[in-house]
Amino acid sequence: MATLLVSMSYGHRAMINDVAEAPVIDNVGSPTNGLDSSWYDARATFYGDIHGGETQQGACGYGDLFKQGYGLETAALSTALFNEGYTCGACYQIMCVHDPQWCLPGTIKITATNFCPPDYSKTEGVWCNPPQKHFDLSLPMFLKIAQYKAGVVPVKYRRISCARTGGVKFETKGNPYFLMILPYNVGGAGDIKLMQVKGDKTGWITMQKNWGQNWTTGVNLTGQGISFRVTTSDGVTKDFNNVMPNNWGFGQTFDGKINF
């Protein structure tokens, strides 16, 4: 079952030229490192109901997945894939394999929006425990590739580019001394490895990933127009200039107009 994490900081990360580097999973060739299009083995289960109940919000920091454009095409990732939240927003293609009794033909495309936590209290059915790669799908997505009674099925998966409509969105949270930004509706690789912010009166400020896909800075930028510089996991960087006017407030969402 997926989980909702409480907002927290992950602590010190290596810094190179004032750029916070994302942690690297010890998994050579893993498709979580950029857009490796190779197919890999994993398993899949489901959580929530047919309407997506229990799949909203979650450990990536997203809110109403329908309003944010992700809908029901989502999954919670096991520790081996979640990468401390750096994989949030990544897109995958998944198909059921090696189980003709339960598998259905075809593939699905999903976005990583949540975390499937490990359970060390059990010795069976612990699909999300390291080092296993596992997708806890929304029920509607699971039913596209397998029968309900299967419960858990072997799958093949690969990273794919995320197709999004409209620009990247930036949601503001926090207070003047703790600005938190949630970027969502991110196309291309989908997952972000670096985010910077610039006010009318500042240069580019490297933000720190706080939890999920929430990025923060302690610099007070109230009263300034705001721009963002976003780098996705495949190394592509885009500038989103003058996204927020100087009268922006907290609890608002702004359209970056462009996408990856």
Side-chain angles (χ1 to χ4, degrees), residues 2 11 17 28 59 81 100 112 135 152 237 242:
N17 295 329
V28 177
L81 295 171
F135 294 87
V152 58
T237 299
N242 304 313

Side-chain angles (χ1 to χ4, degrees), residues 167-172 181-182 184 228 243-245 247-257:
V168 174
K169 305 299 191 294
F170 299 89
E171 181 181 338
T172 62
I181 298 293
L182 171 68
Y184 65 89
F228 297 103
V243 174
M244 295 162 51
N247 63 344
W248 63 271
F250 297 96
Q252 296 180 319
T253 299
F254 298 90
D255 191 344
K257 304 296 184 182

Side-chain angles (χ1 to χ4, degrees), residues 142-153:
F142 183 86
L143 294 179
K144 288 181 180 291
I145 60 170
Q147 298 183 49
Y148 180 87
K149 290 184 178 180
V152 58
V153 292

Side-chain angles (χ1 to χ4, degrees), residues 107-192:
T107 67
I108 57 172
K109 297 177 181 179
I110 59 92
T111 301
T113 59
N114 207 349
F115 174 54
C116 186
D119 185 351
Y120 298 108
S121 66
K122 300 190 299 182
T123 57
E124 295 183 357
V126 285
W127 311 117
C128 291
N129 285 22
Q132 299 185 87
K133 296 178 180 180
H134 189 82
F135 294 87
D136 206 9
L137 301 168
S138 70
L139 177 55
M141 289 297 101
F142 183 86
L143 294 179
K144 288 181 180 291
I145 60 170
Q147 298 183 49
Y148 180 87
K149 290 184 178 180
V152 58
V153 292
V155 298
K156 290 277 189 181
Y157 76 93
R158 67 174 178 177
R159 281 288 299 270
I160 58 173
S161 181
C162 299
R164 304 296 183 208
T165 300
V168 174
K169 305 299 191 294
F170 299 89
E171 181 181 338
T172 62
K173 308 173 186 179
N175 59 63
Y177 302 100
F178 185 77
L179 173 62
M180 180 179 288
I181 298 293
L182 171 68
Y184 65 89
N185 196 50
V186 181
D191 50 343
I192 296 171

